[in-house]
Amino acid sequence: MHTLLLDSDDVDHNTQFAELIVAIEEAFAAYERGHAQMPAKSYIDLPQYNGDFRSMPAYLDAGDWDAAGIKWVNVHTDNNAEYDLPTVLGTMIYSDPRNAYPLALMDGRELTMKRTGAAAAVATDHLALPDASSLGIVGAGVQAYTQLEAISTVRDIDTVVISDLDDERVQRFVDTFADRFDVRGGSVAEAAECDVLSTVTPVESPIVSEAGAHTHINAMGADAAGKHELADDLLLDAKIVIDDHEQCTHSGEVNVPYSAGVLTDDDIYGEIGEIVVGEKEGRTDADGVTVFDSTGLAIQDVAAAHVVYEHATENDNGTQFDFFNL
């Protein structure tokens, strides 16, 4: 047996959104049905380096396939300035659940971007208007790109409004997609008027106070306590769907109003897995604004790693090595 070493290009090449979205939806379903194990994300705080490490293990059985793995990921805010490295790095260990053999080591950063976009696409498919054609994105960082790529897989998006404080990042995004979409820079308010809105910023003070009457919002930026992109009144008036109660109430978009008692469990409609398996309805004619609060789950990483590994094996991609010299 060999272990595959898969770099960021390998992960990108072997991850097609149409298939990845299905795998992420199957992961949500497995978790809802009790066919997954996902211990709580653990943290190692390193204030002396302005950073932290996070470990995210999971196993899931989707029926036709099962998979196990762990992502070792970080946030080091000084990386770019001091080391010319990304703020977030990550390594995914993808293992054979039958015998624990490490089938692959792969770039966790590219994997995270892909599965985050796919998770937003699953939520968009269930919660956005069926004929949604415009997408607003607040935050023009790396996550913005996979939001558009994934969401345009489940909806016929033709108009895109990208908002960011950095004009160069906005222009880079516009230039990347100008040949495929009617894409332009705009204000947060203009982005929020679109049929679908994805927020991918690290802010701790809400920057979106209003949205279109039937906008679906993918709140993707909050991944730690104190982060908060959407105004409390907007959340209270919306149909809120979360990915996991424990993670969302501690580190998701709802964590700040929830900890303050402004928002309670009665204000949360349900988890995305309940909608995926049909226990609860997705968008209905009575819905106005809908919100998907996504913290990012380890089951998503494992599902994404499964897709990457299967295709990399078929395509003979990556670098093989004998991990244990057996």
Side-chain angles (χ1 to χ4, degrees):
M1 298 180 70
H2 291 89
T3 301
L4 272 184
L5 182 63
L6 301 168
D7 64 18
S8 58
D9 287 340
D10 293 324
V11 173
D12 179 42
H13 179 69
N14 292 286
T15 313
Q16 302 302 314
F17 272 114
E19 185 173 353
L20 179 59
I21 291 165
V22 172
I24 297 299
E25 188 167 52
E26 290 175 337
F28 285 138
Y31 187 47
E32 178 60 32
R33 291 174 174 140
H35 299 162
Q37 298 180 52
M38 189 177 65
K41 184 188 302 184
S42 63
Y43 290 79
I44 295 176
D45 192 28
L46 300 170
Q48 68 271 37
Y49 300 118
N50 288 328
D52 63 50
F53 285 111
R54 309 166 189 198
S55 64
M56 301 174 64
Y59 165 80
L60 68 95
D61 183 351
D64 293 336
W65 56 273
D66 67 345
I70 181 169
K71 186 172 73 173
W72 179 241
V73 66
N74 75 294
V75 176
H76 280 63
T77 55
D78 296 337
N79 264 9
N80 186 259
E82 294 192 13
Y83 303 104
D84 196 26
L85 289 171
T87 299
V88 177
L89 299 169
T91 302
M92 184 73 193
I93 304 173
Y94 180 65
S95 301
D96 190 330
R98 300 171 300 175
N99 53 32
Y101 193 89
L103 298 172
L105 299 178
M106 61 184 74
D107 171 43
R109 187 167 178 262
E110 185 73 23
L111 193 78
T112 299
M113 290 189 289
K114 297 284 190 178
R115 63 82 152 149
T116 302
V122 171
T124 299
D125 203 24
H126 287 278
L127 294 167
L129 292 168
D131 60 350
S133 62
S134 59
L135 171 64
I137 305 175
V138 178
V142 293
Q143 293 283 1
Y145 292 76
T146 53
Q147 289 294 302
L148 176 51
E149 293 279 9
I151 289 169
S152 63
T153 303
V154 299
R155 288 294 186 273
D156 189 14
I157 300 297
D158 53 41
T159 302
V160 182
V161 180
I162 179 77
S163 181
D164 194 286
L165 295 175
D166 188 327
D167 291 339
E168 288 185 7
R169 295 210 303 180
V170 168
Q171 191 58 52
R172 192 178 308 124
F173 185 92
V174 170
D175 291 344
T176 299
F177 293 106
D179 61 338
R180 295 171 53 193
F181 303 94
D182 177 9
V183 55
R184 64 178 177 83
S187 67
V188 170
E190 289 172 312
E193 282 294 320
C194 293
D195 297 327
V196 181
L197 171 68
S198 287
T199 57
V200 283
T201 74
V203 299
E204 296 187 359
S205 248
I207 53 176
V208 180
S209 57
E210 295 181 332
H214 300 284
T215 298
H216 167 64
I217 303 173
N218 296 303
M220 314 301 288
D223 62 354
K227 291 188 176 181
H228 192 20
E229 297 180 293
L230 311 181
D232 291 352
D233 287 344
L234 179 58
L235 286 170
L236 287 168
D237 288 340
K239 178 177 183 174
I240 301 173
V241 176
I242 60 179
D243 60 8
D244 176 75
H245 186 274
E246 182 176 357
Q247 284 196 188
C248 285
T249 54
H250 286 85
S251 60
E253 178 56 38
V254 301
N255 85 92
V256 173
Y258 189 89
S259 62
V262 173
L263 185 149
T264 70
D265 286 341
D266 290 338
D267 299 304
I268 298 173
Y269 176 73
E271 295 189 356
I272 187 66
E274 295 177 281
I275 295 174
V276 167
V277 302
E279 292 179 1
K280 291 189 175 180
E281 288 188 284
R283 173 165 285 278
T284 68
D285 291 340
D287 289 334
V289 174
T290 56
V291 172
F292 174 50
D293 181 358
S294 172
T295 55
L297 306 181
I299 54 169
Q300 297 167 221
D301 296 307
V302 170
H306 165 74
V307 172
V308 172
Y309 176 75
E310 293 299 314
H311 282 292
T313 302
E314 292 170 4
N315 297 329
D316 196 24
N317 293 147
T319 302
Q320 289 191 354
F321 63 99
D322 189 346
F323 202 95
F324 302 107
N325 293 317
L326 297 176

